[in-house]
Amino acid sequence: NAGVTQTPKFRILKIGQSMTLQCAQDMNHNYMYWYRQDPGMGLKLIYYSVGAGITDKGEVPNGYNVSRSTTEDFPLRLELAAPSQTSVYFCASSVTPLNSPLHFGNGTRLTVT
Amino acid sequence: AQTVTQSQPEMSVQEAETVTLSCTYDTSESDYYLFWYKQPPSRQMILVIRQEAYKQQNATENRFSVNFQKAAKSFSLKISDSQLGDAAMYFCAYRSLGETSGSRLTFGEGTQLTVNP
């Protein structure tokens, strides 16, 4: 069981470039989330999805977009990268019942210079 | 919106001793879930323990236990017989059951735990 797989592990972008962070899970989870973690801080929710075709904004959605065309995949798109988007990005998934924990990927460290 | 506060940015403990990490939260919901996650330097997020708000009994998992005080909105983590491998950042998290929030997890800012040999 692969769980939640994030690619790439590391990436350096120049200001104004775009990229897609990939996230895939093989556990047939309905709920999927994207969080960012700034150095020494907690995780903040960027976007979430409760099922294929359904996405919604979290606390810090500006500068990002998502799509959920299948249950398995939940890519995060960064358009016009800015230094403020330098962070570690985590994808997570969950199944009901809701006392189930979130399963996290190993994160993508993104640096924008 | 719910908020989670961890008032101790850093804590340290001697190996084999006991340490308690604090967490408080703010919510108007009556039913929810609470979690503690551990993040070692590998940055992997590892579930330590969970608590359902409707359960009065405090959760325990081996050397880890919680003190859940629903009225006070407090959810502290006690680590007994601390081991070097317990050194990590610990996050308290609140899970809403509300459909409008996507049942998201809201995290505190974390407590960095150091275990001294």
Side-chain angles (χ1 to χ4, degrees):
Chain A
N1 236 357
V4 179
T5 302
Q6 287 184 241
T7 55
K9 289 190 172 69
F10 304 93
R11 184 73 186 266
I12 299 174
L13 281 182
K14 294 191 185 303
I15 294 171
Q17 287 185 321
S18 300
M19 78 163 293
T20 298
L21 280 65
Q22 301 291 345
C23 175
Q25 52 91 9
D26 61 358
M27 297 172 283
N28 201 32
H29 286 176
N30 285 338
Y31 295 84
M32 294 190 76
Y33 306 86
W34 274 106
Y35 286 90
R36 61 176 285 173
Q37 183 182 25
D38 297 331
M41 305 290 281
L43 282 71
K44 295 196 184 303
L45 184 66
I46 306 171
Y47 270 95
Y48 66 92
S49 170
V50 299
I54 307 169
T55 62
D56 208 344
K57 297 177 181 178
E59 301 171 74
V60 290
N62 291 345
Y64 307 95
N65 274 302
V66 293
S67 60
R68 184 97 181 270
S69 57
T70 66
T71 299
E72 293 77 21
D73 299 300
F74 190 40
L76 178 72
R77 178 82 178 160
L78 279 72
E79 305 281 2
L80 298 174
S84 61
Q85 293 178 306
T86 294
S87 192
V88 178
Y89 291 83
F90 287 96
C91 179
S93 71
S94 170
V95 69
T96 50
L98 296 177
N99 64 342
S100 304
L102 264 60
H103 296 256
F104 284 85
N106 288 330
T108 295
R109 182 179 296 279
L110 176 67
T111 302
V112 182
T113 62
Chain B
Q2 293 81 22
T3 58
V4 178
T5 302
Q6 294 179 248
S7 58
Q8 307 152 315
E10 298 176 348
M11 291 282 284
S12 64
V13 63
Q14 291 296 126
E15 199 175 0
E17 297 293 309
T18 296
V19 64
T20 299
L21 308 184
S22 300
C23 173
T24 59
Y25 56 94
D26 187 26
T27 184
S28 58
E29 298 177 331
S30 59
D31 203 10
Y32 47 86
Y33 298 112
L34 296 164
F35 301 84
W36 278 97
Y37 278 86
K38 168 185 176 180
Q39 187 181 44
S42 66
R43 80 175 182 231
Q44 189 180 4
M45 293 291 286
I46 301 166
L47 177 69
V48 175
I49 199 163
R50 77 187 87 175
Q51 174 80 43
E52 290 91 342
Y54 64 85
K55 287 188 179 177
Q56 292 188 335
Q57 186 174 6
N58 289 323
T60 62
E61 287 284 344
N62 301 315
R63 297 182 295 106
F64 299 88
S65 61
V66 299
N67 183 4
F68 173 50
Q69 303 286 331
K70 190 172 184 180
K73 297 179 183 174
S74 171
F75 183 59
S76 60
L77 174 70
K78 186 170 86 170
I79 307 174
S80 304
D81 186 25
S82 296
Q83 301 176 359
L84 295 177
D86 294 334
M89 180 74 90
Y90 286 81
F91 292 102
C92 177
Y94 172 104
R95 188 168 201 185
S96 170
L97 302 187
E99 287 298 321
T100 56
S101 67
S103 302
R104 67 186 66 181
L105 242 64
T106 300
F107 288 86
E109 298 296 310
T111 296
Q112 182 67 51
L113 178 66
T114 301
V115 181
N116 300 309

